[in-house]
Amino acid sequence: MTTTTPEAFPDVRRADAGTILVSSWIVPAPEVQRQAADLVIEGWEQEDRPDAMLSLTTFLSVDGTEVLNHAQWTDDDSHLAWARARRPQGISEVDRIVPGIERPRLVRYALHRSYAPEESAGRTPGVLVTPTFETEGPDSQRALADAVVGILERLGPDGLLGAHFLVSKDGRRVLNHAEWEDMAAWRRFAQDGGTNELRTVIGTLEGVTPVHARLDVPRYFPHKSLVNIPAP
């Protein structure tokens, strides 16, 4: 049964998600941000959805400039087949209602590993933070994710409920899908010594470059999540 839930996060670790599609929509004005996100979900609610489409979650950037789309599919071939047949129609309708949206790129990711402390079970995240890194291949992707998870396991940052390391399938990016309890918890972490250690360790890794400065990392509030196929 399909369910749409407000302010929900995706189940990033569901085992049947063979591909995770992350795309940013840059909106022309903050006042249309929520409308654009609603149109994404409404379009899928009305769509004849394939079983290969597992879920779609929309996030609203804190600064009002962006809608972040996080979609889970069973495999890339199924998504590409759908995109060739249906996607242009849905995008045209969104652009008709909210003209001026920019779509820089869609990145295909796979989950490499997660930091998920036992004490966070049952707690609800309120903010998504997405530190992103440019990498020079699978080896540097794995080295980065493994190094950061090791530090997080030792530090145990208060309020970090989960950090899921998504590696792009072209080997060029790593996205840390970090679920924080609230904005205050993230700010405390960003301003204390833990981030200094992370920067130092990351700086020693070959083929790894942070995309954002420490305090400019994108932050999002969850908007709506549509689950087409429940997790096994």
Side-chain angles (χ1 to χ4, degrees):
M1 178 183 295
T2 300
T3 59
T4 302
T5 307
E7 300 181 0
F9 277 67
D11 178 2
V12 181
R13 294 190 290 172
R14 61 180 295 172
D16 55 346
T19 192
I20 300 170
L21 310 176
V22 178
S23 62
S24 170
W25 288 13
I26 309 301
V27 297
E31 55 266 25
V32 300
Q33 182 192 35
R34 187 173 296 271
Q35 181 185 20
D38 284 337
L39 288 169
V40 176
I41 296 294
E42 290 168 8
W44 273 104
E45 288 175 327
Q46 298 166 13
E47 177 76 29
D48 183 14
R49 297 177 298 275
D51 288 348
M53 186 270 190
L54 304 177
S55 75
L56 171 66
T57 303
T58 55
F59 295 89
L60 307 179
S61 66
V62 172
D63 63 6
T65 64
E66 179 188 358
V67 174
L68 188 72
N69 302 292
H70 179 288
Q72 295 172 308
W73 286 68
T74 58
D75 60 277
D76 287 310
D77 288 344
S78 295
H79 172 259
L80 290 168
W82 169 83
R84 286 191 292 269
R86 297 292 299 170
R87 184 176 185 273
Q89 300 175 42
I91 293 297
S92 296
E93 180 64 12
V94 173
D95 287 344
R96 183 186 67 81
I97 299 172
V98 184
I101 295 174
E102 300 178 14
R103 301 175 179 87
R105 65 183 302 191
L106 179 149
V107 181
R108 298 177 182 274
Y109 290 99
L111 176 65
H112 172 58
R113 63 179 301 185
S114 295
Y115 164 77
E118 291 183 5
E119 58 270 23
S120 69
R123 295 165 63 184
T124 302
V127 177
L128 172 68
V129 183
T130 59
T132 305
F133 305 85
E134 294 179 349
T135 53
E136 296 181 359
D139 289 344
S140 58
Q141 287 178 315
R142 290 190 292 267
L144 168 65
D146 295 345
V148 176
V149 168
I151 293 173
L152 295 178
E153 288 176 340
R154 181 166 52 77
L155 295 178
D158 182 43
L160 179 58
L161 306 187
H164 309 282
F165 290 84
L166 311 182
V167 297
S168 67
K169 295 188 176 183
D170 63 4
R172 298 177 62 184
R173 291 174 80 86
V174 172
L175 185 150
N176 175 4
H177 176 105
E179 300 171 345
W180 289 87
E181 193 161 32
D182 52 35
M183 192 69 73
W186 174 78
R187 288 197 183 100
R188 287 194 299 271
F189 178 76
Q191 294 169 356
D192 73 13
T195 54
N196 293 331
E197 181 176 353
L198 282 170
R199 286 198 304 276
T200 298
V201 171
I202 292 169
T204 67
L205 299 175
E206 294 185 6
V208 175
T209 305
V211 172
H212 306 98
R214 178 181 56 166
L215 296 180
D216 291 334
V217 175
R219 286 146 285 159
Y220 306 89
F221 296 120
H223 182 57
K224 289 181 181 177
S225 186
L226 180 151
V227 176
N228 186 45
I229 304 293

